[in-house]
Amino acid sequence: MTSTAPEDWSQRSQALAQHLARSALGDRAAFQRLYEQTSGHLFAVLLRIQRDRAIAEDLLQEVYVSAWKAAASFDARQAQPLTWLTHIARNKAIDSLRRAQAQPRMESVHAEHDDDDRPDLDQRLADEGPGPAELLERASDARSLAHCMQGLSAQQRQSVALAFFDGLSHAEVAEQLREPLGTVKSWVRRALLSLKNCLERAAQRDDLAGT
């Protein structure tokens, strides 16, 4: 385990890394602090994928059980604490949908506050077709997704990966990339539009190939 936080991390990330390090040693008080400081964010991540609130609440508990057991495996060289926890949450949510033979839908639970920190996909695109995040989740052909991601700029790829694959908020993405919040929102918005068009074209090609 490498839990020593880089000096350029935010104070919050450094504190979370310390909580994880103490948790790995069996410190339940540190783990409780970790829960208090991250559970709201992780619950929002779960709800964006698993829309059943009761199931999401159960999944949240599973996330922290897994985090407690795996705390010693956290490596600060590989990811920030919240990113690491978000990976666990996202995988739990998607697994629950797969068990129910459903498809993940990543929709914002913050539709009223534009300055919030999470993407409001339904407000971003007005058409009635599937949103870009839903298309991301639907993409069964990893090559198509990889191809579409390569069509983005480096900043757009990084922003989308952090916002949707890692579940970070806009503000957290901006903090991690050290860019203005408005700039990050613009990158994400344009990237989603580009991915949506690219994935739709890929789906159309697959449909034509299958006929």
Side-chain angles (χ1 to χ4, degrees), residues 44-51 105-108 118 163 167:
V45 170
L46 292 168
L47 278 176
R48 286 205 298 275
I49 303 172
Q50 172 54 263
R51 302 297 292 173
R105 294 181 62 194
M106 296 182 66
E107 298 177 1
S108 174
R118 293 187 170 81

Side-chain angles (χ1 to χ4, degrees), residues 119 121 124-125 132-133 136 152 160 164 187-197:
L121 299 181
R124 218 169 282 255
L125 297 172
L136 286 178
L152 304 178
V160 167
F164 291 100
W187 285 346
V188 172
R189 181 182 300 110
R190 293 174 182 175
L192 288 176
L193 288 170
S194 178
L195 284 174
K196 175 178 170 61
N197 293 332

Side-chain angles (χ1 to χ4, degrees), residues 137-155:
E137 292 295 348
R138 283 184 184 179
S140 57
D141 188 344
R143 289 173 299 179
S144 294
L145 179 56
H147 170 75
C148 290
M149 289 291 286
Q150 287 302 314
L152 304 178
S153 69
Q155 297 94 332

Side-chain angles (χ1 to χ4, degrees), residues 103-179:
Q103 289 293 331
R105 294 181 62 194
M106 296 182 66
E107 298 177 1
S108 174
V109 294
H110 296 270
E112 298 179 359
H113 306 291
D114 184 51
D115 60 341
D116 137 15
D117 29 303
R118 293 187 170 81
D120 289 335
L121 299 181
D122 52 346
Q123 294 181 0
R124 218 169 282 255
L125 297 172
D127 63 54
E128 297 180 356
E134 185 176 353
L135 288 168
L136 286 178
E137 292 295 348
R138 283 184 184 179
S140 57
D141 188 344
R143 289 173 299 179
S144 294
L145 179 56
H147 170 75
C148 290
M149 289 291 286
Q150 287 302 314
L152 304 178
S153 69
Q155 297 94 332
Q156 289 174 334
R157 284 198 302 272
Q158 202 168 11
S159 297
V160 167
L162 290 171
F164 291 100
F165 300 143
D166 290 350
L168 297 188
S169 67
H170 280 147
E172 288 161 345
V173 173
E175 178 184 357
Q176 185 151 327
L177 298 183
R178 297 187 175 184
E179 296 287 350

